[in-house]
């Protein structure tokens, strides 16, 4: 479906004044996230390699991979995948796939003008989770689709047009696990099921799949399996594409641009529909001579009688934490900075845990932590919440961890704004957030501020935290966080790699 267009792009090229204005406008738009999912050999590496190859071009309309602030293993993955595409008819090339999920930025160019940008999160680069999607580790990862703005699911187009029954059952298990982990009965976001590697098919069959991908997918899966997908993904769209293309010793993607364009078109339609609904609501309110919008505080009071104090406080404080970290990014130390050698973070966390205490006269509770936070003492709140002993699955524990997320964010900001931040205090935040992250339910929104606070403490305090942990924290913040949290995660990620690019 859709025709392949030539793709190109380099985000460092000189732009015309009009292009500069458009680039600024794109930077100011809310960044969306597409989750890329697929089993082993489904074509994920081909897609990444194609986007990487497109970044070397300078003409035409195309989507490109921006690796400016990507980790070294992500860069190695993209480069090896691109090389494998170009040498596919010459020799076998080893693709260096990362072990963990990662997020990269993809940008759309028309000629040299930047026209759109989005984040692409690869949940399972090696395709190891798809065979057993219900195990705890897979559930935690798959649950991230709950906050995604779109899902791109890749299926290899079978030669002969028939998919074995076992593969269809595997797809059903993945759909079920995805809905279960996200605590949903259906995904409301745009979803694409894309048939990949169509260049391996006879030309007539390849063209048929591109012209009628939905009919082809229904024939491959059968009516029952296709019905599962329609029920789970009401906004399903089908595509067929080739990451390699049909030109020997070159990567010339066929149908890739139209796939990512469809997501941006859907989001634009959503925004237009929301604007129309708001306009109609305002007009109706004016006709009825009522106020257009009730104060937010009234909504909080309306529900105060049916929720506990701790839950209301957690919701209110979490609603405020998006305004924090206003200056913390300036305190983050880049790789170029020098510092005296320090022990590994894990060694000092153990020491801090053994010495941390709170006043014996103050009984630790969620209420006392909220009170400390409202007094402007987030570190006291972190200590109080760390001393609580609550069942991991209880509502009290969720409320406590929600308050902890707000306290950790604010405490980290306070510490990093000081001339000489307390290492022990930063380590106590890392310890508390690490415990909360370990027990958090997969895909829950509280993981974003917890991960962001831990990453900020590690980066800003030079705590020698594991590099994989920091990158994973930033990835979860980008995937699960609010727009404000995602922006802060990008700032931290840019500081981590010594990038001086301003991020809104």
């Amino acid at each position: 479906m859709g025709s392949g267009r030539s793709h190109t792009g380099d985000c460092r090229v000189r732009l015309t004044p009009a292009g500069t204005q458009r680039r600024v406008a794109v930077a100011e738009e809310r960044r969306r996230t597409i989750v890329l999912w697929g089993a082993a050999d489904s074509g994920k590496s081909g897609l990444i390699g194609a986007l990487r190859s497109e970044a070397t071009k300078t003409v035409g309309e195309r989507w490109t991979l921006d690796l400016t602030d990507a980790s070294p293993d992500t860069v190695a993955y993209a480069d090896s995948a691109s090389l494998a595409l170009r040498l596919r008819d010459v020799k076998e090339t080893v693709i260096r796939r990362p072990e963990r999920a990662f997020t990269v930025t993809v940008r759309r160019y028309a000629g040299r003008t930047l026209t759109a940008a989005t984040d692409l999160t690869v949940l399972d680069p090696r395709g190891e989770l798809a065979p057993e999607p219900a195990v705890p580790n897979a559930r935690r990862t798959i649950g991230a689709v709950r906050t995604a703005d779109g899902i791109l699911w890749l299926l290899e187009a079978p030669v002969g047009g028939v998919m074995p029954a076992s593969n269809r059952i595997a797809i059903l298990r993945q759909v079920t696990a995805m809905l279960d982990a996200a605590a949903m009965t259906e995904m409301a976001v745009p979803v694409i099921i894309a048939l990949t590697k169509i260049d391996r098919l006879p030309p007539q069959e390849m063209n048929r799949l591109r012209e009628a991908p939905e009919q082809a997918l229904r024939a491959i899966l059968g009516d029952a399996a296709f019905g599962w997908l329609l029920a789970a993904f009401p906004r399903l769209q089908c595509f067929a594409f080739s990451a390699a293309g049909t030109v020997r010793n070159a990567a010339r993607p066929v149908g890739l641009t139209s796939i990512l364009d469809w997501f941006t078109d859907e989001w634009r339609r959503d925004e237009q529909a929301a604007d129309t609904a708001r306009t109609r609501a305002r007009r109706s309110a004016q006709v009825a001579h009522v106020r257009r919008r009730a104060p937010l505080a009234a909504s909080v009071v309306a529900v105060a009688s049916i929720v506990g104090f701790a839950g209301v406080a957690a919701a209110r404080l979490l609603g405020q934490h998006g305004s924090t970290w206003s200056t913390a990014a300036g305190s983050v130390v880049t790789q170029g900075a020098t510092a005296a050698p320090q022990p590994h973070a894990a060694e000092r966390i153990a020491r801090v845990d053994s010495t941390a205490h709170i006043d014996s006269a103050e009984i630790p509770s969620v209420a006392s932590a909220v009170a400390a936070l409202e007094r402007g003492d987030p570190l006291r709140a972190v200590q109080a919440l760390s001393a609580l002993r609550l069942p991991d699955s209880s509502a009290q524990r969720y409320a406590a961890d929600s308050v902890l997320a707000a306290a950790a964010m604010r405490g980290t900001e306070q510490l990093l704004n000081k001339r000489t931040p307390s290492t022990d205090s930063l380590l106590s935040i890392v310890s508390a957030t690490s415990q909360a992250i370990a027990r958090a339910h997969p895909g829950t929104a509280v993981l974003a501020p917890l991960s962001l606070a831990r990453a900020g403490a590690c980066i800003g305090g030079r705590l020698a935290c594991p590099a994989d942990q920091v990158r994973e924290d930033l990835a979860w913040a980008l995937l699960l966080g609010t727009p404000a949290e995602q922006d802060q995660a990008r700032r931290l990620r840019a500081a981590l790699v010594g990038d001086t690019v301003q991020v809104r």
Side-chain angles (χ1 to χ4, degrees):
M1 177 175 180
S3 59
R5 306 173 186 171
S6 61
H7 311 296
T8 64
D10 187 341
C11 62
R12 295 169 293 182
V13 299
R14 183 177 179 181
L15 300 175
T16 63
T20 303
Q21 294 175 0
R22 175 57 187 161
R23 183 169 184 169
V24 171
V26 170
E28 292 177 347
E29 293 176 356
R30 178 169 97 78
R31 186 72 62 80
R32 307 278 188 158
T33 299
I34 299 172
V35 165
L36 179 63
W37 176 256
D41 298 322
S42 62
K44 298 188 297 295
S45 297
L47 184 143
I48 294 296
L51 292 171
R52 178 57 168 163
S53 298
E54 294 294 80
T56 64
K57 302 175 183 177
T58 56
V59 296
E61 296 183 357
R62 74 276 178 196
W63 284 88
T64 71
L65 203 62
D66 183 355
L67 299 177
T68 303
D69 54 0
S71 63
D73 56 345
T74 301
V75 174
Y77 175 41
D79 286 342
S80 61
S82 176
L83 182 63
L85 282 182
R86 298 194 303 274
L87 299 181
R88 63 189 182 279
D89 296 323
V90 179
K91 66 174 183 178
E92 191 74 19
T93 303
V94 177
I95 298 177
R96 300 167 59 184
R97 296 176 176 86
E99 295 182 2
R100 291 184 171 86
F102 66 89
T103 299
V104 291
T105 300
V106 289
R107 303 184 186 278
R108 191 187 193 283
Y109 288 89
R112 296 177 181 270
T113 302
L114 175 66
T115 59
T118 187
D119 284 338
L120 181 69
T121 296
V122 184
L123 288 186
D124 184 18
R126 297 187 176 184
E128 297 173 338
L129 303 180
E132 296 293 338
V135 299
N137 183 42
R139 283 176 52 83
R140 174 182 173 86
T141 302
I142 295 174
V145 301
R146 182 175 186 176
T147 54
D149 297 297
I151 300 172
L152 175 54
W153 189 328
L154 304 185
L155 295 176
E156 182 180 2
V159 177
V162 178
M163 178 175 288
S166 58
N167 290 9
R168 279 176 271 170
I169 296 299
I171 291 175
L172 174 60
R173 294 176 60 196
Q174 293 169 42
V175 170
T176 303
M178 191 175 292
L179 296 175
D180 186 39
M184 297 179 179
T185 57
E186 62 181 34
M187 304 297 295
V189 298
V191 176
I192 285 178
I193 303 292
L195 295 170
T196 66
K197 305 181 184 180
I198 60 174
D199 56 289
R200 300 181 180 182
L201 304 175
Q204 185 176 357
E205 182 68 7
M206 175 180 173
N207 292 332
R208 186 182 69 83
L209 263 63
R210 291 194 60 210
E211 293 172 0
E214 182 173 326
Q215 295 178 10
L217 182 61
R218 183 188 293 269
I220 291 170
L221 296 179
D223 290 339
F226 188 76
W228 301 335
L229 297 177
L230 287 178
F233 310 128
R235 299 177 65 181
L236 176 67
Q237 187 74 2
C238 302
F239 283 83
F241 80 100
S242 168
T246 57
V247 179
R248 181 180 173 83
N249 297 336
R252 303 284 177 81
V254 176
L256 178 57
T257 299
S258 57
I259 288 178
L260 298 178
D261 281 351
W262 182 79
F263 281 113
T264 58
D265 290 342
E266 287 296 297
W267 296 331
R268 190 175 298 111
R269 279 191 284 269
D270 288 345
E271 292 170 355
Q272 291 172 350
D275 289 341
T276 300
R278 283 192 291 267
T279 300
R280 290 175 178 173
R282 285 196 297 268
R283 290 174 179 173
S284 297
Q286 291 169 354
V287 170
H289 301 288
V290 295
R291 300 171 64 182
R292 292 189 299 173
R293 183 180 300 176
L296 178 61
S299 298
V300 176
V301 173
V303 300
S305 61
I306 59 174
V307 295
F309 167 78
V312 173
R316 177 163 57 86
L317 292 170
L318 281 177
Q320 295 171 348
H321 77 250
S323 61
T324 65
W325 290 78
S326 56
T327 56
S331 301
V332 174
V333 180
T334 62
Q335 290 179 339
T338 59
Q342 298 186 26
H344 193 275
E347 300 174 6
R348 288 176 290 155
I349 287 175
R351 185 186 69 210
V352 171
D353 284 344
S354 64
T355 58
H357 67 278
I358 61 175
D359 294 339
S360 57
E362 181 178 299
I363 300 176
S365 66
V366 177
S368 66
V370 171
L373 193 52
E374 290 182 336
R375 292 196 306 268
D377 192 354
L379 297 181
R380 173 71 63 170
V382 171
Q383 290 178 355
L385 294 167
S386 298
L388 288 178
R389 296 296 179 264
L390 300 169
D392 288 352
S393 60
S394 67
Q396 283 183 313
R397 168 54 68 192
Y398 181 80
D401 286 346
S402 298
V403 178
L404 174 63
M409 290 278 287
R410 195 172 301 175
T412 301
E413 181 185 20
Q414 283 188 5
L415 290 169
L416 295 182
N417 281 332
K418 295 181 178 179
R419 184 178 298 274
T420 306
S422 168
T423 300
D424 285 348
S425 295
L426 287 170
L427 285 169
S428 68
I429 289 176
V430 172
S431 175
T433 52
S434 295
Q435 295 175 28
I437 289 170
R439 62 176 170 254
H441 187 74
T444 51
V446 74
L447 279 172
L450 288 170
S451 298
L452 190 57
R454 184 169 71 172
C458 287
I459 297 172
R462 309 179 195 172
L463 300 182
C465 299
D468 286 345
Q469 171 193 294
V470 174
R471 285 195 291 266
E472 188 173 349
D473 282 344
L474 295 179
W476 284 119
L478 285 169
L479 186 61
L480 299 174
T482 64
E485 290 165 352
Q486 292 174 352
D487 286 344
Q488 295 301 339
R490 292 189 186 96
R491 289 190 179 96
L492 288 174
R493 189 172 63 177
L496 184 62
V497 298
D499 189 355
T500 59
V501 175
Q502 295 295 319
V503 182
R504 289 187 60 86

